Amino acid sequence: MNSLEGDISKRQEKYELMTATPVPRLIVRFAVPTIISMMVTALYNMADAYFVGNISTQAVAGVGVAFAFQALIQAVGFFFGSGAGTYISRALGSKDSDGAERMASTGFFTPLILGTFIAAIGLVFLPGLARVLGATSDIVPSACDYLRWLLVAMPFMVSQMSLNNQLRMQGGAWFAMIGITSGCILNVILDPVFIFTFGLGVSGASLATLVCQVFSWCILLWGTTRKGNVHIRFRNFTPTWNMMKEITYGGLPSLMRQALGSLSTICVNWAAAKYAAPGAEASAIAAFAVVSRVMICAMSLILGLGQGFQPVVGFNWGARKYDRVRKAYLFTMKTTFLLILAMSVLGYLFAPQIVAFFRSEDPELIEMGARILRWQCLAFVFVSVTTPTNMLLQNIRRTVPATILAMSRQGIFFYPAILIVPRIWGMEGLMATLAVADTCTFMLALPFCIAILKELRERQESVTKAQSST
């Protein structure tokens, strides 16, 4: 059997796996590696905060400020990765291998080039970038130290995220997990070495991130050459209008969700400095930064489950097996609800201990961080409906409703809330802002949820009638 025949055979096996395996078992099979990779990524972010927390409160705040830009980098990566990945999964479901290969190459080389361009601009205007992100004068040096190497890593980060999503969406979740987790484990090992042993401080944490990202990038790129996977070839790099339009259809919701998340972090940094007591600005910004890392860790579990759900949706939608799409959607929402409920209860009960893990020497940071975390735990359960609904709409190319829903939690509802609630309730209102946004987003998502369940039932009935009449 030659290489081409081997690829065709492997892809046929993958098609049968995706369209015939019982849905709960299939989602769990893909969710386990994505949950592991997401959790390891979140833990490596928390490791940065933990090790930097041993330097100073200003260092924690500086990394927190830089984290807003890191979220923007992720937004670009997820835009290309989700856009290319959702197209690839549908193309493989309808057995269009040529289209899948062109999209894979375009979805890899475009962010690599774009990331290089943005990084160059960021390095030229580094101090100004730190101030725009919300750094006060005493935080700017630490923020710049972290941002410098983060910008150098940017081309690898955005193209690596695209590779990760592409492998995952074509059923290669386990290899995608290996690529991401190996780099993150390396990062956790290098953090204390660079920060303390080499005496590089905050720059050491950022330099460890650069090494981690390049290492993962190499592994994931090699993974695309394995038999049965969609290969990356420069000759298939076709950044045509139609290709970019397809990436936009599939990636715009992810871009808006991640970008607005980054902008909301910047707004919180500015608001925390405004509403904090005099002299407590750094502690307030650091408290929000710590809680943000904790909630990202919790959210990574939910996103990991959702990312195990997405390739099942893409393949089966492309294969016109709408009953399997519906089963996958309901299973994901129920499982997500149970996971979030457990995490919210634990987070609320042990909020002070969780925050103190990162910076036990600052009682003010612990007190504020515990209150912020408890507010976010109160409404977190609503994410069990909003996130799976958003992912489903995104995967079946419902760009407008998917984008609206993606923009809601940390955009449409968050920005009015952060402008209004703190004016009425001060710092406590700022702490409650995301809980208010979560509640409003759930109310918006509920009609979408009901409508898509009805549509899936009707589509399956139509397919069944057509099959019985032939």
Side-chain angles (χ1 to χ4, degrees):
M1 182 183 293
N2 60 37
S3 177
L4 178 59
E5 290 173 340
D7 276 340
I8 293 172
S9 175
K10 283 283 186 181
R11 288 175 189 173
Q12 181 60 32
E13 288 177 18
K14 193 174 290 184
Y15 177 88
E16 292 171 0
L17 169 74
M18 299 294 285
T19 58
T21 306
V23 166
R25 189 195 310 166
L26 191 61
I27 291 176
V28 170
R29 173 175 177 162
F30 289 124
V32 168
T34 55
I35 287 172
I36 292 172
S37 60
M38 292 290 290
M39 288 295 291
V40 170
T41 302
L43 289 171
Y44 119 72
N45 283 326
M46 292 174 71
D48 268 4
Y50 172 76
F51 289 119
V52 169
N54 287 281
I55 301 174
S56 67
T57 297
Q58 285 73 20
V60 176
V63 173
V65 166
F67 185 68
F69 186 75
Q70 191 168 349
L72 280 175
I73 295 174
Q74 290 173 339
V76 176
F78 278 118
F79 170 71
F80 287 100
S82 297
T86 54
Y87 180 91
I88 289 167
S89 68
R90 292 196 308 270
L92 293 176
S94 58
K95 301 187 177 181
D96 178 16
S97 296
D98 291 339
E101 290 198 353
R102 287 196 303 275
M103 179 56 78
S105 298
T106 304
F108 169 73
F109 286 109
T110 307
L112 183 65
I113 296 167
L114 181 63
T116 303
F117 177 71
I118 296 174
I121 295 175
L123 287 168
V124 172
F125 300 102
L126 191 57
L129 174 61
R131 291 189 178 277
V132 168
L133 293 171
T136 54
S137 56
D138 59 333
I139 297 173
V140 167
S142 294
C144 287
D145 285 345
Y146 196 85
L147 282 168
R148 187 172 293 106
W149 290 112
L150 192 65
L151 284 162
V152 175
M154 184 173 179
F156 299 99
M157 290 178 72
V158 290
S159 53
Q160 176 244 97
M161 288 172 195
S162 183
L163 287 174
N164 176 51
N165 276 278
Q166 289 186 33
L167 286 168
R168 180 177 55 79
M169 294 297 287
Q170 59 188 279
W174 280 102
F175 195 90
M177 179 204 74
I178 292 169
I180 294 297
T181 57
S182 58
C184 291
I185 292 169
L186 178 63
N187 186 284
V188 173
I189 295 170
L190 292 178
D191 260 344
V193 175
F194 286 175
I195 294 171
F196 304 116
T197 305
F198 293 166
L200 297 176
V202 175
S203 292
S206 184
L207 182 58
T209 297
L210 168 61
V211 175
C212 153
Q213 295 296 327
V214 174
F215 185 74
S216 292
W217 184 85
C218 292
I219 292 177
L220 291 171
L221 186 59
W222 173 68
T224 63
T225 66
R226 299 174 75 234
K227 189 176 294 185
N229 288 336
V230 179
H231 304 315
I232 304 289
R233 297 185 177 94
F234 189 74
R235 68 170 181 267
N236 288 327
F237 175 44
T238 50
T240 62
W241 168 248
N242 284 335
M243 279 289 177
M244 299 313 297
K245 183 171 66 173
E246 289 296 335
I247 288 175
T248 302
Y249 280 135
L252 187 60
S254 291
L255 175 66
M256 298 309 299
R257 180 170 54 246
Q258 292 291 131
L260 289 173
S262 172
L263 293 175
S264 70
T265 301
I266 296 170
C267 289
V268 166
N269 291 336
W270 283 95
K274 177 181 178 180
Y275 290 103
E281 294 87 354
S283 293
I285 293 173
F288 277 102
V290 166
V291 173
S292 175
R293 297 294 176 104
V294 172
M295 294 306 295
I296 284 173
C297 186
M299 194 67 187
S300 67
L301 185 61
I302 307 310
L303 292 175
L305 179 63
Q307 288 178 356
F309 154 72
Q310 282 185 297
V312 179
V313 169
F315 264 82
N316 285 281
W317 182 271
R320 294 169 54 84
K321 295 184 179 291
Y322 303 111
D323 57 332
R324 290 175 60 80
V325 176
R326 188 172 185 274
K327 288 176 183 176
Y329 180 42
L330 291 172
F331 173 80
T332 303
M333 280 198 294
K334 291 174 185 175
T335 307
T336 301
F337 173 78
L338 294 174
L339 289 171
I340 289 180
L341 183 62
M343 288 189 294
S344 296
V345 171
L346 291 172
Y348 193 93
L349 292 176
F350 299 103
Q353 293 86 344
I354 292 170
V355 176
F357 175 77
F358 296 92
R359 183 69 181 161
S360 60
E361 294 85 358
D362 190 335
E364 195 168 25
L365 186 157
I366 295 169
E367 189 270 335
M368 283 192 289
R371 284 157 58 199
I372 297 165
L373 181 56
R374 282 174 170 158
W375 268 114
Q376 295 197 13
C377 286
L378 286 175
F380 192 42
V381 70
F382 292 138
V383 173
S384 62
V385 173
T386 58
T387 297
T389 302
N390 191 197
M391 287 182 163
L392 175 60
L393 291 170
Q394 181 177 354
N395 254 59
I396 62 176
R397 208 172 176 267
R398 301 297 169 82
T399 307
V400 173
T403 303
I404 291 172
L405 198 52
M407 293 173 63
S408 298
R409 184 176 186 250
Q410 293 183 304
I412 295 172
F413 296 120
F414 178 84
Y415 294 119
I418 200 172
L419 288 173
I420 297 170
V421 182
R423 289 178 182 271
I424 299 170
W425 205 2
M427 178 59 78
E428 198 71 28
L430 180 60
M431 295 175 181
T433 298
L434 190 57
V436 172
D438 272 333
T439 304
C440 294
T441 303
F442 168 75
M443 295 171 67
L444 175 65
L446 204 54
F448 289 134
C449 172
I450 295 168
I452 196 63
L453 285 171
K454 181 181 177 183
E455 181 186 345
L456 289 169
R457 189 184 304 110
E458 290 173 350
R459 279 177 173 267
Q460 186 58 44
E461 289 172 357
S462 177
V463 170
T464 303
K465 287 179 182 177
Q467 289 173 344
S468 62
S469 64
T470 58

